[in-house]
Amino acid sequence: MTLLKKLQWSFGLLLFFFVLPVIAGQLPFNKQASTPIKDPEDKQVVYAATNQSALEKTKEETKEEPEETKEQPEEPKEQTKDPFKVLLLFTHSQESYQPMVKAVSGKAAFYDEKTNIYNLKDTISKHFSMNGIQTDILGVDVMKELKLKGKNFADSYNFVRPYLAKRLQEQSYDLVIDFHRDSAKKAATTLTHNNESYARIAIVIGAEHKNYRWNTAYAESLSASMNEIVPKISRGVISKSGDNVDGRYNQDLTKEMILIEIGGIDNAEAELNRTIAVIGKAIAKSFITGKQE
């Protein structure tokens, strides 16, 4: 081998070892090795996009909340328009007060078709409204309807029952009051306080039904509040059961129902009005604010 060929051979070997790393870097297996590095990056991008969408939904929901918050002040307005609700009924609708009947007709009567306890409904509603109480009236002149249908006084509670049950299915009330007039005389039903005379009340609860304890609790609370406003204006809570009494007075239809005997046959209109005002204040004190005097 000539010297020139030896030099060419040596140069070729050197060139081969110099170029080999470059050639190796271009081979396909290195590209495959680099692929796993990109995969996690792609997955993170997709994951980030999913989170972004959920975040936007959350922001949209959060944006809706202030709108609901803005509407929240309207809810108290609705509560103001629809405050503590009381249903009034008058099972013995034509029970009357002698002084009131005499002032209108000149006769003394304990029952009257025109001047009677049922006609106090507007006065009661007015005084209740002044104390933040909304009133509905069960507009049935029970005793008038009994006469038209040939029924007697003893049928009163059974007659009014379906009317009351239907109303309670249609509407909910915080308190239901059946107003009556007591048959007791003036000495038992009249009270003087601060030089003003008032018609005293008694609250009657039927003790022969499942709601008895609930009705009693409402009655006792109201009675106590009335006596705090005008001492002894309430004669207390009277429970009735046994023979010759109703025993339930339709109070089994709702646990919030009571029967109030307001005044007696000898009480005057002014005395009744003062007592109705006290009842309104006492309802507010017992069941709404707890603070009214």
Side-chain angles (χ1 to χ4, degrees), residues 13-222:
L13 286 173
L14 290 171
L15 182 63
F16 173 77
F17 286 113
F18 178 78
V19 174
L20 180 61
V22 177
I23 296 172
Q26 299 299 317
L27 292 177
F29 64 79
N30 278 335
K31 289 184 179 179
Q32 293 175 358
S34 65
T35 302
I37 300 175
K38 293 183 179 180
D39 282 343
E41 294 177 357
D42 292 340
K43 290 181 181 178
Q44 287 176 1
V45 170
V46 174
Y47 184 76
T50 303
N51 280 349
Q52 184 75 14
S53 176
L55 182 60
E56 290 301 321
K57 288 180 181 179
T58 304
K59 285 182 177 180
E60 288 176 4
E61 292 172 358
T62 307
K63 286 179 182 178
E64 292 176 0
E65 288 179 1
E67 293 178 1
E68 293 177 359
T69 304
K70 289 179 181 178
E71 293 177 1
Q72 283 178 3
E74 295 180 5
E75 292 181 3
K77 289 181 181 178
E78 292 179 0
Q79 290 176 1
T80 302
K81 293 177 183 177
D82 187 19
F84 190 91
K85 293 177 66 174
V86 176
L87 176 64
L88 308 179
L89 67 149
F90 304 83
T91 299
H92 294 159
S93 55
Q94 294 184 4
E95 289 179 329
S96 301
Y97 302 88
Q98 278 194 107
M100 294 175 64
V101 176
K102 192 171 183 179
V104 173
S105 63
K107 63 181 181 180
F110 303 147
Y111 296 92
D112 191 81
E113 293 181 357
K114 296 181 180 180
T115 307
N116 50 50
I117 192 169
Y118 185 65
N119 291 335
L120 292 177
K121 61 184 182 298
D122 292 336
T123 301
I124 296 170
S125 296
K126 177 183 176 181
H127 281 287
F128 281 18
S129 178
M130 292 170 62
N131 290 279
I133 303 163
Q134 177 180 305
T135 56
D136 284 350
I137 312 294
L138 190 67
V140 184
D141 188 337
V142 178
M143 294 182 69
K144 177 181 178 181
E145 294 299 322
L146 287 174
K147 291 175 185 176
L148 291 174
K149 292 175 171 56
K151 296 181 179 295
N152 57 41
F153 189 82
D155 296 318
S156 300
Y157 290 102
N158 287 333
F159 180 84
V160 79
R161 186 178 179 85
Y163 292 94
L164 177 58
K166 183 174 185 295
R167 177 64 67 87
L168 293 175
Q169 289 176 352
E170 296 170 346
Q171 300 283 335
S172 60
Y173 295 94
D174 300 294
L175 190 64
V176 180
I177 304 176
D178 188 2
F179 275 100
H180 290 252
R181 182 264 299 140
D182 202 335
S183 59
K185 293 284 188 177
K186 188 176 181 68
T189 64
T190 309
L191 169 75
T192 300
H193 176 71
N194 290 339
N195 298 319
E196 297 280 9
S197 59
Y198 294 82
R200 299 182 73 195
I201 68 109
I203 306 179
V204 179
I205 300 296
E208 297 179 357
H209 59 91
K210 62 182 181 180
N211 288 328
Y212 164 67
R213 293 188 182 278
W214 279 102
N215 302 137
T216 302
Y218 277 90
E220 289 178 347
S221 178
L222 182 60

Side-chain angles (χ1 to χ4, degrees), residues 235-256:
R235 295 156 56 197
V237 178
I238 303 169
S239 297
K240 289 194 174 182
S241 61
D243 297 336
N244 302 318
V245 299
D246 187 275
R248 63 179 185 177
Y249 304 107
N250 289 323
Q251 293 165 359
D252 59 311
L253 294 177
T254 177
K255 64 185 181 182
E256 298 89 2

